[in-house]
């Protein structure tokens, strides 16, 4: 990983929060060997600087939803307008402008019992300046979600903080009340149960129990949104790779082990492996392409798109 603007304690706190986004400051302090007041003060500073945000997220497959990787090619003059419109949608989890402002990329989630791609495409802004739209279903995640791009703790420290792995077959049906709760936790994943009770009108004991249930079955996890520029990794690039089907798992797992990767998943479509990577600069990205990516098995085609602006990170 590149040098960071954050010090060792900051990085340790971030790693701890990736392992359990709702771990108490007391518990984090015990593991890191500092006081809970120190942890709370550091976290408050990072949050106030807009570098860090804890957000609740749901595992699409475990709550009966599917995710779609959508690419919209358009003329630069309309890209920002369309991108902002997509960012306002409740079913988009991130929206980015790439390729010099000629492409919008987003992740869209919808109930699996609908034609979710049509649901999105029929509602796109009607403009002749959109030249192409593709939507590919996300089939499997090799790296992403609750994994941490920060590696600052020892194995023993990480084990003391890591939230237990959920069962492979964990599932949950979300009620309207759950959706309200999750919307609040998406905005602030560390919101206290007393505050959640006041906002929802439900007993805090009920809310605590429901959050515990959703986490234990794997439907709910807490992610740490980090401004990657604080890690001195300002170059974010989206990558689409075509891999021979019989080597897809091998390539996906190999790419997931790359320190540059922050997301790797298998999708439908002619490019069946999708990834997002972070590098310090174009020279480092070239070195990454010509070494780690070049060593991946059975790559038949590769396409890259540098991100120029993130309009929605969740």
């Amino acid at each position: 990983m590149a040098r960071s603007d954050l010090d060792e304690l900051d990085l340790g706190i971030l790693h701890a929060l990736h392992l359990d986004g709702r771990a108490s400051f007391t518990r984090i302090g015990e593991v890191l060997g500092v006081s809970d007041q120190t942890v709370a003060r550091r976290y408050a500073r990072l949050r106030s600087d807009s570098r860090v945000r804890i957000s609740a997220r749901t595992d699409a497959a475990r709550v009966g939803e599917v995710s779609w990787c959508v690419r919209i090619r358009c003329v630069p003059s309309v890209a920002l307008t369309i991108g902002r419109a997509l960012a306002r949608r409740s079913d988009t989890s991130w929206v980015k402008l790439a390729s010099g402002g000629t492409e919008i990329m987003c992740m869209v989630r919808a109930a699996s019992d609908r034609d979710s791609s049509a649901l999105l495409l029929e509602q796109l802004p009607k403009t002749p300046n959109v030249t192409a739209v593709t939507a590919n279903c996300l089939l499997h995640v090799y790296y992403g979600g609750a994994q941490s791009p920060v590696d600052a703790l020892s194995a023993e420290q990480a084990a003391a903080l890591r939230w237990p792995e959920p069962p492979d077959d964990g599932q949950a049906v979300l009620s309207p009340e759950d959706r309200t709760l999750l919307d609040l936790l998406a905005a602030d994943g560390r919101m206290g149960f007393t505050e959640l009770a006041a906002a929802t009108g439900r007993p805090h004991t009920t809310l605590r129990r429901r959050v515990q249930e959703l986490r234990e079955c794997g439907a709910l996890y807490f992610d740490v949104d980090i401004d990657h520029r604080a890690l001195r990794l300002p170059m974010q690039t989206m990558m689409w790779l075509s891999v021979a089907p019989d080597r897809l798992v091998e390539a996906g797992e190999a790419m997931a082990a790359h320190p540059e990767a922050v997301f790797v998943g298998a999708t439908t479509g002619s490019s069946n492996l999708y990834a997002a990577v972070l590098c310090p600069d174009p020279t480092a990205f070239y070195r990454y392409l010509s070494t780690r990516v070049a060593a991946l098995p059975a790559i038949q085609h590769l396409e890259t798109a540098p991100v120029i602006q993130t309009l929605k990170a969740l």
Side-chain angles (χ1 to χ4, degrees):
M1 179 168 289
R3 288 191 305 137
S4 170
D5 291 333
L6 309 176
D7 66 20
E8 184 177 349
L9 180 56
D10 289 330
L11 294 173
I13 292 170
L14 291 178
H15 192 175
L17 291 171
H18 265 287
L19 296 168
D20 182 357
R22 288 187 68 86
S24 70
F25 292 143
T26 299
R27 181 61 180 148
I28 295 173
E30 289 173 350
V31 172
L32 297 183
V34 298
S35 70
D36 58 342
Q37 294 95 335
T38 297
V39 176
R41 185 170 60 251
R42 289 294 188 101
Y43 173 71
R45 177 175 57 79
L46 291 169
R47 193 165 183 263
S48 65
D49 289 346
S50 298
R51 293 183 176 192
V52 173
R53 183 166 67 101
I54 310 297
S55 302
R57 300 187 180 182
T58 54
D59 185 310
R62 294 175 187 264
V63 296
E65 297 177 346
V66 292
S67 296
W68 293 84
C69 301
V70 179
R71 301 177 67 183
I72 303 164
R73 291 186 175 88
C74 57
V75 298
S77 60
V78 302
L80 189 57
T81 299
I82 296 174
R84 286 172 173 168
L86 289 168
R88 290 192 293 268
R89 293 173 59 116
S90 61
D91 56 357
T92 56
S93 55
W94 52 258
V95 181
K96 300 177 185 293
L97 299 185
S99 304
T102 62
E103 187 169 9
I104 306 161
M105 296 172 292
C106 63
M107 189 73 75
V108 180
R109 290 175 55 164
S112 58
D113 59 353
R114 305 178 197 168
D115 183 357
S116 46
S117 60
L119 180 69
L120 170 74
L121 303 183
E122 289 170 3
Q123 296 180 21
L124 279 174
K126 301 297 189 293
T127 168
N129 294 318
V130 172
T131 58
V133 178
T134 58
N136 295 322
C137 183
L138 181 64
L139 302 175
H140 179 77
V141 175
Y142 297 106
Y143 186 88
Q147 283 100 340
S148 174
V150 178
D151 185 14
L153 302 180
S154 68
E156 293 76 12
Q157 289 174 318
L161 287 162
R162 182 177 289 108
W163 183 263
E165 287 292 322
D168 292 338
D169 58 352
Q171 295 286 324
V173 177
L174 299 181
S175 67
E177 292 79 12
D178 289 333
R179 299 285 184 182
T180 300
L181 170 63
L182 295 175
D183 285 344
L184 291 167
L185 289 173
D188 180 3
R190 292 189 63 86
M191 182 179 288
F193 287 107
T194 300
E195 296 173 273
L196 290 169
T200 62
R202 301 170 67 191
H204 69 84
T205 53
T206 300
L207 297 173
R208 185 187 300 274
R209 183 170 60 250
R210 186 54 174 158
V211 168
Q212 182 81 5
E213 291 170 349
L214 292 172
R215 294 189 77 184
E216 287 180 348
C217 75
L220 171 66
Y221 65 93
F222 291 89
D223 198 10
V224 184
D225 291 323
I226 303 174
D227 183 346
H228 53 83
R229 292 170 297 183
L231 301 175
R232 297 196 182 180
L233 297 169
M235 185 173 184
Q236 183 178 21
T237 306
M238 303 303 192
M239 302 177 62
W240 291 267
L241 304 91
S242 297
V243 183
D246 62 337
R247 308 295 294 278
L248 179 58
V249 173
E250 181 184 358
E253 291 179 348
M255 195 168 195
H258 294 173
E260 295 85 356
V262 292
F263 185 89
V264 182
T267 71
T268 59
S270 57
S271 297
N272 54 359
L273 188 63
Y274 162 75
V277 301
L278 296 175
C279 291
D281 51 48
T283 299
F285 181 61
Y286 169 76
R287 187 164 55 248
Y288 171 62
L289 283 178
S290 59
T291 55
R292 296 185 191 277
V293 176
L296 292 173
I299 300 298
Q300 301 168 339
H301 177 74
L302 169 66
E303 187 177 354
T304 62
V307 174
I308 63 170
Q309 186 176 357
T310 297
L311 300 177
K312 186 176 184 179
L314 174 62

